[in-house]
Amino acid sequence: MTVMSIARFERFFRAAAGLNVDKNDLKRHSDFVEVKLYDLLTVAQATAKANGRDIIRTSDLPITKGLQESIHHFRKIDQEIELKPILEQLATHPALDRTPDEETEAAYPDIIGGLSLALAQSFKILHPDLKNPQTQHWDEARAVFDLLL
């Protein structure tokens, strides 16, 4: 990841929840969004299959009201930070039984942005005075997301 990319992530986490992140946090973030995107696609794949389709559509993704609001909030923050091009690089997934259509794949950066925003805010909900997330904080936040997504 380039220095410019790291600086944008740092700005994003400060804007989203007043957090200071470092390179270790960026690796944890990358791992988190990879797993959560795959989790969303796994459910979407089952929905597409249940509807007799070979492709995954955006409407198959289990986007909750809260995640949808986080996506909208991310878009507002991203107008200034321009993190979306970097998130496009993180928007990969392993092979699935059903193939996502182009519209669904195009939505990945916004979904990852919404997940990232929700993650940052969850740190502050769990630890209101937190400034520098540590491994324990990442593990706690991941556990909450694993329960919900």
Side-chain angles (χ1 to χ4, degrees), residues 13-27:
F13 276 90
R14 274 193 302 275
L19 297 172
N20 297 318
V21 295
D22 60 25
K23 289 181 184 179
N24 292 331
D25 293 318
L26 300 181
K27 171 66 173 129

Side-chain angles (χ1 to χ4, degrees), residues 18-73:
L19 297 172
N20 297 318
V21 295
D22 60 25
K23 289 181 184 179
N24 292 331
D25 293 318
L26 300 181
K27 171 66 173 129
R28 290 180 185 121
H29 171 264
S30 178
D31 293 344
F32 170 82
V33 296
E34 180 181 320
V35 169
K36 291 298 115 191
L37 180 61
Y38 181 73
D39 289 349
L40 291 170
L41 287 168
T42 300
V43 174
Q45 179 175 257
T47 301
K49 183 178 180 179
N51 288 314
R53 284 186 275 102
D54 290 334
I55 61 164
I56 296 172
R57 294 185 180 149
T58 307
S59 60
D60 295 327
L61 293 164
I63 305 294
T64 62
K65 177 183 176 279
L67 181 52
Q68 186 64 50
E69 290 172 358
S70 292
I71 290 169
H72 289 299
H73 190 188

Side-chain angles (χ1 to χ4, degrees), residues 11-140:
R11 284 181 54 211
F12 171 76
F13 276 90
R14 274 193 302 275
L19 297 172
N20 297 318
V21 295
D22 60 25
K23 289 181 184 179
N24 292 331
D25 293 318
L26 300 181
K27 171 66 173 129
R28 290 180 185 121
H29 171 264
S30 178
D31 293 344
F32 170 82
V33 296
E34 180 181 320
V35 169
K36 291 298 115 191
L37 180 61
Y38 181 73
D39 289 349
L40 291 170
L41 287 168
T42 300
V43 174
Q45 179 175 257
T47 301
K49 183 178 180 179
N51 288 314
R53 284 186 275 102
D54 290 334
I55 61 164
I56 296 172
R57 294 185 180 149
T58 307
S59 60
D60 295 327
L61 293 164
I63 305 294
T64 62
K65 177 183 176 279
L67 181 52
Q68 186 64 50
E69 290 172 358
S70 292
I71 290 169
H72 289 299
H73 190 188
F74 163 75
R75 288 176 181 150
K76 290 177 185 174
I77 291 174
D78 193 50
Q79 289 175 358
E80 185 177 314
I81 298 174
E82 298 179 359
L83 191 62
K84 197 171 177 178
I86 299 165
L87 296 180
E88 288 173 355
Q89 298 170 14
L90 298 177
T92 61
H93 59 80
L96 301 164
D97 292 340
R98 304 285 189 268
T99 304
D101 64 14
E102 287 181 23
E103 179 183 333
T104 302
E105 288 184 340
Y108 290 174
D110 283 334
I111 293 168
I112 291 171
L115 286 168
S116 300
L117 182 81
L119 172 67
Q121 292 177 340
S122 72
F123 286 128
K124 292 303 248 187
I125 291 168
L126 295 169
H127 301 279
D129 297 327
L130 184 67
K131 292 294 179 197
N132 299 342
Q134 302 300 310
T135 302
Q136 165 199 345
H137 304 120
W138 283 91
D139 291 345
E140 291 171 358

